[in-house]
Amino acid sequence: MALIVNFSIANAETVSIPEWVFTVHNFWIEEKISDDEFTTLLNYLEKQNIVDLILHKSYDVKTNFLLSMMQNQDAQRFVSCSDGWYVTGYFVPVEKDYSDEFIIINIGETQREFRQDFVDAIKIEGWGKTLSGDYLGWYDNSFHINETALDQNGQPLVAGMIAVDNTIIDRETELIISTLPEPWNEIILISADEGPAIKGKHIDLFTGEGKLAENETFRVTGYDNKVCK
């Protein structure tokens, strides 16, 4: 699985991650190593205190690493600020976290079985990771299957990505929201997604996959936030 993100905002000199780890990260992006190999490496580095991950240790290690790379080390460069922003969160449900009976759904010309409460969550969040390891999406009033969860522009969803109203914030704008709870207030967020419900001074923050990511959506949701870019 290749996740293409602009990580020019982070390097070995600005975050506490050794230079060679960035090289391995590029191998993962270029699919020279597998998703499992990259996860195993990150788990080892975290346990050896070589990589300092900014979320609690039980959080998905790949998401944690990506967010650590996006941690802000130079807040002074974000000087254009405005108040009164509403922030919400969205996540990717993981089917193994759900327990309802299985139901049959149509995906194009095929049929597959998924848990009812998992499907219900997908209809709210947009995508979910299935027991088979692929991703079930709901848009255009129909279900879709893909190797990764996608944003509105067909690009892979990455933790720290935000959906914005592009009439207010341009696409690929880097910003920080200092009023969010830790560690989100220290992360450089990237406006790479959009959505029909995101209008005006509203930012929707993607927090990752699974129950812990769902919990983070509750923590980041709130009014009267300060956004700086």
Side-chain angles (χ1 to χ4, degrees), residues 59 91-94 96-98 207-215:
Y59 210 88
F91 76 108
V92 169
V94 176
K96 67 180 180 61
D97 295 330
Y98 296 82
T207 59
E209 298 183 358
K211 283 295 183 182
L212 291 176
E214 181 181 16
N215 292 339

Side-chain angles (χ1 to χ4, degrees), residues 7-23:
F7 281 126
S8 61
I9 59 178
N11 55 52
E13 296 179 356
T14 60
V15 295
S16 56
I17 298 174
E19 182 71 42
W20 65 268
V21 178
F22 287 80
T23 301

Side-chain angles (χ1 to χ4, degrees), residues 18-146:
E19 182 71 42
W20 65 268
V21 178
F22 287 80
T23 301
V24 175
H25 170 259
N26 288 333
F27 288 162
W28 176 55
I29 288 179
E30 295 167 2
E31 299 185 68
K32 294 179 180 178
I33 62 174
S34 70
D35 200 48
D36 287 342
E37 288 172 326
F38 186 55
T39 299
T40 299
L41 171 64
L42 292 178
N43 278 318
Y44 173 79
L45 294 176
E46 193 272 333
K47 289 178 181 178
Q48 297 300 317
N49 295 317
I50 297 173
V51 169
D52 183 21
L53 302 178
I54 62 176
L55 286 168
H56 42 81
K57 293 183 179 181
S58 55
Y59 210 88
D60 171 63
V61 68
K62 296 192 301 298
T63 296
N64 214 341
F65 175 72
L66 296 175
L67 291 174
S68 299
M69 292 180 69
M70 300 168 76
Q71 188 174 19
N72 176 43
Q73 300 292 319
D74 184 18
Q76 295 181 352
R77 72 183 178 93
F78 295 92
V79 296
S80 178
C81 302
S82 59
D83 297 316
W85 287 83
Y86 175 47
V87 175
T88 53
Y90 65 113
F91 76 108
V92 169
V94 176
E95 189 173 12
K96 67 180 180 61
D97 295 330
Y98 296 82
S99 58
D100 267 3
E101 297 293 327
F102 286 95
I103 61 170
I104 297 174
I105 66 169
N106 297 313
I107 308 171
E109 297 181 354
T110 64
Q111 291 185 327
R112 285 179 59 177
E113 289 188 339
F114 304 97
R115 295 192 181 277
Q116 175 71 70
D117 48 356
F118 172 64
V119 172
D120 293 341
I122 288 173
K123 287 190 173 183
I124 297 172
E125 302 298 331
W127 286 91
K129 186 175 184 179
T130 73
L131 293 173
S132 300
D134 52 9
Y135 290 80
L136 178 67
W138 171 258
Y139 56 89
D140 296 334
N141 291 316
S142 60
F143 289 103
H144 306 264
I145 285 289
N146 197 57

Side-chain angles (χ1 to χ4, degrees), residues 163-215:
V164 300
D165 182 343
N166 288 143
T167 66
I168 306 295
I169 298 178
D170 292 336
R171 185 171 169 79
E172 297 186 358
T173 297
E174 297 173 6
L175 56 86
I176 59 173
I177 307 176
S178 60
T179 47
L180 291 181
E182 294 182 353
W184 301 99
N185 61 330
E186 299 177 346
I187 294 172
I188 299 176
L189 305 171
I190 303 174
S191 59
D193 199 2
E194 55 192 288
I198 311 302
K199 300 294 182 183
K201 299 177 78 171
H202 178 190
I203 289 175
D204 203 18
L205 169 60
F206 179 62
T207 59
E209 298 183 358
K211 283 295 183 182
L212 291 176
E214 181 181 16
N215 292 339

